[in-house]
Amino acid sequence: MNKDIGQIFKKFRKEKGLTLEQASKGVVSTSQLSHFERGAGDITVKKFFLLLENISISEIEFSQILRDYQQDKDRILFQMIGKFEESGDIDGLVNLYNNEQYMYLESSNKQKLLNSIAIKSVLIRYGKFNKLTSMEIEVLEDYFYKIEVWSKINIKIFSLCLLELDSNTICFYLDDILDQKVINNQDLEYIELIAVALRNTIYVLTERHKFSSAQLYMKKFREMIPKEFGLGLRVSYAIQEANLFEKLGEIDKAITIFQNIINCYESFDMKDRIDILKDELKKLRKKL
């Protein structure tokens, strides 16, 4: 049984003011329940349901609580992935990967397998792995294919892994996500996640010289960026546009975009980013 279940059970037992003796009465010994709550022991499903009766929690209620708890843990995990990548902490990413792999092997929890594949996809970009295995690709494609309603976690996994998918597969699932956007049009976080998926897709398609598809998604990206979006996402859009113009040989347009970004950063006194962009600008000017 998932170790998280014992931790959540303990949380609710304590909230109800029940002792180990009261919660375990007639089902298991106090030591067995203590071990279960710490994740150091296991019990049968039948006995677990009897324990839920002892603390007056229904099976449906507990299932919903467990689902919410796991989603919160996954949300924190993906925040950590982003922070480690942004700071260049590759060792941190490796540790996250190893931890998710270990938890998958211990529990056979499919979400842990998906999390580890997502982190591995990031690590491939830093040379820690060569590529996903055929089994991992198959797991991803089966996972995406079965999605009926794209959740935030679904979109995050797609955004991290799409570099490892073929172009047609990427476009197929991105179109599915965009079709669903209308349903969640008032959820700004959801729209931002779709924008990130669009940005990553545009980058991949541009690098693969799928210029017509990249231009199509650039238009969709531009149309969906509301005023509420932060500077980072707007700059991401501009950089992808400049990259596309560069690949198309329209160097002047790419230079103009980079210069506008630099001017924007100068107004915010963001010197570290300015230096990086100025180096890119020099490289572009040499191509004229």
Side-chain angles (χ1 to χ4, degrees):
M1 194 172 286
N2 191 320
K3 291 181 180 180
D4 292 339
I5 293 176
Q7 295 173 6
I8 298 170
F9 183 90
K10 180 179 180 179
K11 175 178 178 291
F12 281 97
R13 173 178 66 77
K14 289 197 165 186
E15 284 183 0
K16 289 178 176 288
L18 298 172
T19 64
L20 284 167
E21 289 80 4
Q22 290 170 316
S24 63
K25 187 176 180 181
V27 183
V28 294
S29 68
T30 55
S31 62
Q32 279 180 300
L33 180 55
S34 177
H35 276 73
F36 172 65
E37 289 183 342
R38 297 199 312 271
D42 205 355
I43 58 174
T44 65
V45 173
K46 182 178 179 180
K47 286 184 177 180
F48 177 68
F49 287 155
L50 291 172
L51 289 173
L52 287 181
E53 289 181 14
N54 281 357
I55 65 170
S56 301
I57 296 282
S58 72
E59 296 170 24
I60 295 174
E61 185 181 359
F62 192 86
S63 296
Q64 182 59 53
I65 292 164
L66 179 61
R67 191 179 303 114
D68 292 343
Y69 175 81
Q70 289 172 333
Q71 287 176 351
D72 284 342
K73 287 186 71 174
D74 290 333
R75 193 175 298 114
I76 292 169
L77 172 71
F78 284 97
Q79 287 174 352
M80 291 176 68
I81 293 170
K83 287 178 180 178
F84 283 148
E85 188 172 14
E86 186 177 344
S87 64
D89 187 352
I90 309 305
D91 288 339
L93 286 170
V94 171
N95 288 336
L96 283 181
Y97 169 78
N98 289 335
N99 188 54
E100 292 300 304
Q101 270 281 295
Y102 172 77
M103 287 193 286
Y104 168 65
L105 294 173
E106 285 285 300
S107 66
S108 297
N109 184 323
K110 189 174 181 181
Q111 185 61 51
K112 296 302 178 185
L113 174 60
L114 289 163
N115 291 347
S116 68
I117 293 173
I119 301 169
K120 183 177 179 179
S121 298
V122 176
L123 289 169
I124 288 170
R125 302 200 288 270
Y126 295 96
K128 293 297 183 179
F129 296 97
N130 291 325
K131 60 180 181 179
L132 296 181
T133 66
S134 56
M135 183 276 287
E136 289 168 334
I137 293 289
E138 187 176 328
V139 168
L140 276 180
E141 292 184 348
D142 180 66
Y143 168 68
F144 294 139
Y145 181 76
K146 290 178 178 177
I147 293 173
E148 294 183 3
V149 178
W150 287 81
S151 70
K152 293 175 183 178
I153 293 297
N154 296 155
I155 298 173
K156 287 177 181 179
I157 292 175
F158 174 75
S159 293
L160 291 176
C161 297
L162 60 82
L163 194 63
E164 303 306 309
L165 304 173
D166 66 74
S167 301
N168 290 335
T169 300
I170 294 171
C171 295
F172 177 82
Y173 289 118
L174 181 59
D175 288 341
D176 194 34
I177 292 169
L178 291 171
D179 286 343
Q180 188 182 296
K181 178 178 74 70
V182 178
I183 302 171
N184 297 277
N185 212 28
Q186 302 304 314
D187 187 339
L188 187 58
E189 182 188 359
Y190 190 86
I191 301 299
E192 286 179 344
L193 289 173
I194 294 176
V196 171
L198 268 168
R199 178 199 65 192
N200 292 359
T201 296
I202 292 163
Y203 169 78
V204 171
L205 294 176
T206 301
E207 291 299 307
R208 295 176 182 177
H209 292 218
K210 306 286 185 180
F211 298 131
S212 59
S213 295
Q215 287 174 313
L216 172 66
Y217 289 123
M218 280 300 304
K219 181 181 178 183
K220 292 184 178 182
F221 195 175
R222 182 170 58 249
E223 290 172 349
M224 70 178 290
I225 298 181
K227 293 179 180 178
E228 292 88 350
F229 274 19
L231 177 65
L233 200 54
R234 291 176 175 275
V235 168
S236 291
Y237 166 80
I239 288 175
Q240 295 308 319
E241 189 175 38
N243 186 40
L244 182 56
F245 281 136
E246 181 187 354
K247 297 291 184 182
L248 291 169
E250 299 181 48
I251 307 300
D252 285 334
K253 290 182 180 179
I255 288 174
T256 299
I257 291 171
F258 268 103
Q259 189 59 63
N260 289 338
I261 297 172
I262 290 170
N263 294 340
C264 178
Y265 278 157
E266 284 176 340
S267 67
F268 287 96
D269 196 28
M270 302 170 75
K271 294 179 181 178
D272 54 334
R273 300 189 181 186
I274 291 170
D275 290 339
I276 295 171
L277 289 172
K278 282 184 175 179
D279 287 340
E280 292 297 321
L281 198 55
K282 286 178 184 178
K283 293 175 185 177
L284 282 173
R285 284 176 173 152
K286 288 179 181 179
K287 294 183 177 183
L288 287 174

